[in-house]
Amino acid sequence: MRVRSAVAVAALAALVLTLPVTTASAAPATPGGPPVGPGRATAPAAFVPLGITRALDTRSYQETPAAQARKLQPGESFDVPLSNWKNHTPREIPVVPADATAVVVNVTATNPTADGYLTVRRDGNMPGAPATSTLNFEAGETVSNMVTVAVDPRGAGTSPKINVYNNAGTTDVVVDILGYYIPSTPQLPGQKYAPIRPTRLTDTRVEGGRLGRGGVVSAVVARRDLGTTDARAVVLNVTAVDPSTEGYVVAHQASSPLPFEGSHVNYGPGRTVANQVVVPVGPDGTIEFFSTGSTDLVVDIVGAYGPSGTNLYSAMTEQSRLVDTRYGSGELAFSTRRLPVAGISGVPADATAVTLNMTVTEPQADGHLEVFESDDLFQRPGTSNLNFDAGRTVANGVTTGLGGDPGSVDIYHHAAGRSQLIADLTGYFVQG
């Protein structure tokens, strides 16, 4: 399978976002307690949305820093400058400014030769293997996940960088930039964030009908009832439900053409797949979703960036593990876990929202997770963040508001059997 690229823009051979792995490929639990403590955080910053911009494709010499196509090796930490690469001078075209604090990227592992995992992080010079993981894969499969990560400066005139660590086997890696955070100034204004209780925008199972090859469905995201009329970008959870073919979904503002390369959600036959995405909003306030295969599509909105937002973002320089149920008996069937976040793991007591990397491993039955702002009435929003099949591991990025005192999130585990749950903190929002 191949990630959608400039040389195969119309091909159905895009990467398939299956997201399963054997449990052995999850970052291991450490005896005696959670393996990661609180890290430092970047200064609060505002968001600058981008369209899909490719920073790395190890299968193509044209889209790698060293102009060399090669897979990542087992145990390798690979530095990724946040730039676009050309086959002419200058090769490096900076995408993310030098004063950026964090970046939002969609990262893909494809063509892996063994079960393993990737970890996306700020600094690849830290000793030893990372104790957290961003996405997990099985040999021969392709897996993607969106993550927000603090960046590492490189010096004047070049983009900052991030690092991708490969745990086992060899694998190709693709990195697409979706946006970045910067200290907001009148000269360089960024957008502030407003969390939204998860709300369903589109469900083709209910209205509009299943998408076929080349199918398009749209959703109005600039809405008075959501408080998003002036949104410049939105955070969505997009799910391909029960696809019957291989394919991919691309989300983009309706007033702009389909992006030249990249994809947001990639799927294969018979497996429901979700991925969080950040999409710029055009003047008509509408997002289009283009599908290359046959699938139903569900779209939920969880947040927006714009002039009405009031929150700035701080990324953890080292990701912190908040919970790992592999130390105990796991999540029970149809259970809700309240996870305190504010005031612990380096998150200030006045934090308003968080970004997490959620992983389900060793599930005994098919199911899904709902992650949402804590509600003492346990009124679930009826949306989903992550879908999983029995016996397979799935990860997905989550952005959610905090509720209660202290600020917490509720995690509803909708499955007829036990699962193991891992939650890693990648950053938080505060008013500013």
Side-chain angles (χ1 to χ4, degrees):
M1 302 299 171
R2 295 200 304 268
V3 182
R4 179 172 176 259
S5 67
V7 293
V9 67
L12 275 179
L15 65 101
V16 180
L17 181 62
T18 53
L19 289 174
V21 297
T22 59
T23 57
S25 65
T30 301
V36 182
R40 295 172 297 153
T42 60
F47 185 66
V48 177
L50 299 175
I52 301 174
T53 304
R54 182 141 297 169
L56 176 72
D57 186 343
T58 62
R59 301 163 303 173
S60 168
Y61 77 92
Q62 294 183 7
E63 295 181 298
T64 60
Q68 178 185 11
R70 70 166 184 87
K71 290 184 173 184
L72 267 64
Q73 301 302 300
E76 181 179 6
S77 287
F78 189 89
D79 284 340
V80 182
L82 297 169
S83 299
N84 194 245
W85 304 94
K86 303 298 181 184
N87 58 357
H88 56 70
T89 302
R91 284 202 70 241
E92 181 177 358
I93 309 298
V95 173
V96 175
D99 62 344
T101 60
V103 66
V104 181
V105 292
N106 202 59
V107 180
T108 303
T110 187
N111 306 318
T113 59
D115 298 354
Y117 60 86
L118 295 182
T119 300
V120 184
R121 54 184 177 168
R122 176 181 184 268
D123 185 2
N125 293 320
M126 296 180 62
T132 61
S133 58
T134 302
L135 58 87
N136 307 75
F137 50 80
E138 284 184 344
E141 295 186 323
T142 300
V143 182
S144 294
N145 195 9
M146 193 194 87
V147 62
T148 304
V149 59
V151 301
D152 197 5
R154 294 175 62 211
T158 57
S159 291
K161 64 179 176 67
I162 56 176
N163 181 269
V164 179
Y165 171 84
N166 176 41
N167 157 254
T170 63
T171 185
D172 282 307
V173 175
V174 178
V175 177
D176 291 321
I177 304 169
L178 304 182
Y180 56 88
Y181 290 91
I182 58 169
S184 186
T185 67
Q187 293 75 31
L188 292 171
Q191 305 301 324
K192 295 185 179 181
Y193 183 69
I196 299 170
R197 188 166 178 84
T199 302
R200 185 139 293 172
L201 300 178
T202 297
D203 187 343
T204 63
R205 299 169 299 178
V206 176
E207 183 178 4
R210 189 176 181 86
L211 295 177
R213 181 172 182 173
V216 175
V217 65
S218 62
V220 178
V221 296
R223 289 171 33 177
R224 186 179 300 274
D225 61 317
L226 296 174
T228 57
T229 54
D230 63 352
R232 301 293 189 265
V234 288
V235 184
L236 309 171
N237 201 69
V238 181
T239 307
V241 180
D242 192 27
S244 58
T245 65
E246 294 179 357
Y248 58 81
V249 174
V250 182
H252 65 102
Q253 57 189 43
S255 57
S256 296
L258 191 70
F260 185 59
E261 62 182 354
S263 56
H264 286 103
V265 182
N266 302 267
Y267 54 80
R271 184 167 302 142
T272 297
V273 175
N275 201 20
Q276 187 175 224
V277 305
V278 177
V279 189
V281 177
D284 65 354
T286 302
I287 301 295
E288 283 189 347
F289 304 87
F290 171 84
S291 177
T292 63
S294 175
T295 187
D296 276 305
L297 197 69
V298 174
V299 180
D300 302 321
I301 187 170
V302 300
Y305 295 92
S308 295
T310 60
N311 298 284
L312 300 174
Y313 183 73
S314 292
M316 306 305 295
T317 58
E318 300 174 33
Q319 298 171 10
S320 303
R321 183 144 293 174
L322 299 180
V323 66
D324 187 340
T325 65
R326 291 175 294 179
Y327 302 111
S329 58
E331 295 295 286
L332 299 176
F334 306 110
S335 62
T336 299
R337 170 186 291 267
R338 177 150 296 180
L339 180 62
V341 179
I344 63 173
S345 295
V347 179
D350 60 350
T352 57
V354 290
T355 57
L356 306 169
N357 198 64
M358 302 294 303
T359 304
V360 169
T361 188
E362 305 175 31
Q364 296 177 345
D366 298 354
H368 68 265
L369 290 185
E370 296 180 33
V371 185
F372 54 97
E373 177 180 336
S374 288
D375 183 345
D376 288 336
L377 300 177
F378 287 102
Q379 295 182 344
R380 303 194 307 272
T383 56
S384 62
N385 297 90
L386 183 156
N387 301 76
F388 52 87
D389 295 337
R392 308 181 76 91
T393 299
V394 180
N396 195 20
V398 171
T399 305
T400 179
L402 296 175
D405 186 14
S408 305
V409 298
D410 286 341
I411 305 170
Y412 175 64
H413 172 244
H414 182 94
R418 292 178 186 265
S419 299
Q420 301 295 339
L421 174 69
I422 301 167
D424 294 327
L425 173 74
T426 56
Y428 58 84
F429 292 89
V430 293
Q431 289 195 347

